[in-house]
Amino acid sequence: MTRTRIHVMAAVIRRSGRILIAQRPKAAHQGGLWEFPGGKLDAGEDRYEGLKRELEEELGIEVTSARPLIDIDHDYPDKSVRLDVWLVDDFNGEAHGAEGQPVQWVLPGELRLYDFPQANVPIVTAAQLPESYLITPDCEDSSTLVAGLDDARKRGLTMVQLRQTAMQPAKYEQLTTRLMQSFGDDFIWLLKAATPPASGDGWHVTASQLRELHRAGWRKGEPFPAGPPVPPRSVQAPNLGPRSAPEWERLPGREGAPAGNNLLAASCHDAEELRMAAEIGADFVTLSPVLPTTSHPEAKGMGWEEARNLIAQVNIPVYLLGGLSTDNLEQAFQAGAQGIAGISGLWKPKTDL
């Protein structure tokens, strides 16, 4: 059966730390569910102009600043929908349900309390994620790490991957505990480990971990697979047996915690790994390398066009990584990315503080 193809403009509208959502009419397709405001793009219409027109009709506002956030393709039994989602961070007027629809301004962390169509799930995630994802360098001592994180906090960075490749697991766990006690909810934390963090914070898996998880048929929210003996440090190591992903996602006291808790992220380098990440239920990924880097001079950068083509193949937020800094944010947005990730491009060494 041939599906009708519909291009829909939608908006994540931010003001004063809150996001606007609207409720679908009861009689409409998936009526009663909440959504991000927008509507169909007319044939031949410019995307930005179509977004502005729809939001003026639906909410009575005049958009003055917006940029692409995430592009989603979703198939229903009778139609195929492209959700072309933009972030609106400035507008004139008072947003209201101009067509009689209920609207709500909610905190990002409250989005999980509302029922959205399945196609909107990646938008809910993208709406809560920042535009920059800091990856910490290997530090010889914790004071350097603390100083760098304190500087990152002052510069407004809010999501951190604690990557300390030379550190033994026990010392890494002790370090992460101390850092999270010091910085608390100032950051969304992504940890590197063989298992999901016992704290309930985010888990960033390597490409090799991703491939093992995918090979085992695991998906976020399911128990980890039991199987034959495997090499040490494998994601299927025996110590995974008693714990399940639902326990990771529903640890006591985490229900009202910041939006970043329990995120699953994965490192990807090609279309196959992006597909695997989507199939295991990753909330977001990093894609690298975009440009040549000093840390991996042998790795050829994929370039912006290839990055754009790869991002278009998945419906999850993607951070571009490799030779990038905040100067590249606009290029990343135009390529369809959530933003940029980096070590040297986002981290200031102690001598610079």
Side-chain angles (χ1 to χ4, degrees):
M1 182 181 74
T2 302
R3 293 187 180 94
T4 302
R5 174 74 168 172
I6 301 173
H7 189 156
V8 174
M9 304 302 301
V12 172
I13 305 170
R14 290 179 179 166
R15 174 159 285 185
S16 302
R18 294 179 180 266
I19 295 172
L20 186 70
I21 58 176
Q23 190 172 34
R24 295 181 62 80
K26 299 292 185 182
H29 176 64
Q30 301 195 68
L33 299 181
W34 292 83
E35 65 180 357
F36 297 92
K40 294 180 184 179
L41 185 71
D42 292 338
E45 188 176 24
D46 176 80
R47 294 161 63 208
Y48 182 49
E49 293 303 318
L51 179 76
K52 292 196 296 182
R53 174 185 56 75
E54 280 292 340
L55 296 185
E56 183 176 12
E57 293 173 0
E58 285 201 13
L59 303 173
I61 62 173
E62 178 191 8
V63 174
T64 56
S65 177
R67 54 108 172 148
L69 178 63
I70 189 170
D71 215 328
I72 296 168
D73 283 305
H74 188 83
D75 290 332
Y76 292 100
D78 58 338
K79 61 184 176 182
S80 176
V81 178
R82 175 187 175 186
L83 285 171
D84 192 349
V85 187
W86 289 49
L87 175 66
V88 174
D89 52 19
D90 198 17
F91 60 89
N92 295 324
E94 191 69 30
H96 61 282
E99 298 176 341
Q101 73 277 30
V103 298
Q104 295 275 3
W105 285 102
V106 301
L107 293 170
E110 294 174 340
L111 289 171
R112 72 185 77 180
L113 304 177
Y114 293 81
D115 292 326
F116 289 85
Q118 184 62 33
N120 279 220
V121 171
I123 309 174
V124 172
T125 302
Q128 299 176 77
L129 292 175
E131 61 188 28
S132 297
Y133 178 28
L134 171 65
I135 302 171
T136 61
D138 287 320
C139 295
E140 295 182 359
D141 57 79
S142 60
S143 62
T144 302
L145 194 55
V146 169
L149 288 171
D150 185 56
D151 173 73
R153 175 172 57 183
K154 292 174 181 176
R155 289 186 286 123
L157 297 176
T158 59
M159 189 163 73
V160 174
Q161 179 195 130
L162 287 171
R163 177 184 178 274
Q164 299 297 300
T165 61
M167 192 171 289
Q168 293 298 313
K171 289 188 176 181
Y172 177 81
E173 185 175 352
Q174 294 172 1
L175 174 66
T176 58
T177 299
R178 292 200 306 271
L179 290 174
M180 287 187 282
Q181 288 174 345
S182 298
F183 291 94
D185 292 337
D186 291 337
F187 294 117
I188 297 170
W189 302 96
L190 276 295
L191 307 185
K192 302 295 288 290
T195 64
S199 61
D201 290 281
W203 185 31
H204 190 116
V205 300
T206 65
S208 59
Q209 285 178 305
L210 166 64
R211 288 177 176 273
E212 288 191 41
L213 287 168
H214 186 269
R215 177 173 56 83
W218 179 78
R219 183 175 176 84
K220 183 183 177 185
E222 299 176 354
F224 285 96
V230 291
R233 293 194 299 274
S234 166
V235 294
Q236 296 182 67
N239 65 341
L240 284 176
R243 295 189 62 235
S244 67
E247 291 170 356
W248 167 40
E249 295 175 5
R250 289 195 286 271
L251 290 171
R254 305 301 281 189
E255 293 81 1
N261 293 324
N262 313 316
L263 289 170
L264 175 63
S267 296
C268 298
H269 308 88
D270 54 35
E272 182 182 36
E273 289 176 352
L274 286 172
R275 176 183 58 80
M276 290 179 177
E279 290 177 358
I280 71 166
D283 296 294
F284 72 89
V285 301
T286 58
L287 177 62
S288 66
V290 178
L291 303 177
T293 66
T294 55
S295 59
H296 298 83
E298 74 287 353
K300 181 181 178 181
M302 66 183 69
W304 291 103
E305 189 59 33
E306 178 63 10
R308 180 195 303 275
N309 292 337
L310 289 172
I311 291 171
Q313 297 179 33
V314 291
N315 290 337
I316 53 178
V318 176
Y319 286 93
L320 294 178
L321 172 65
L324 307 179
S325 71
T326 52
D327 293 338
N328 301 112
L329 274 171
E330 185 58 33
Q331 286 173 287
F333 297 150
Q334 295 306 318
Q338 177 77 22
I340 61 110
I343 301 177
S344 59
L346 295 174
W347 180 263
K348 286 191 176 182
K350 190 173 183 180
T351 53
D352 291 347
L353 301 180

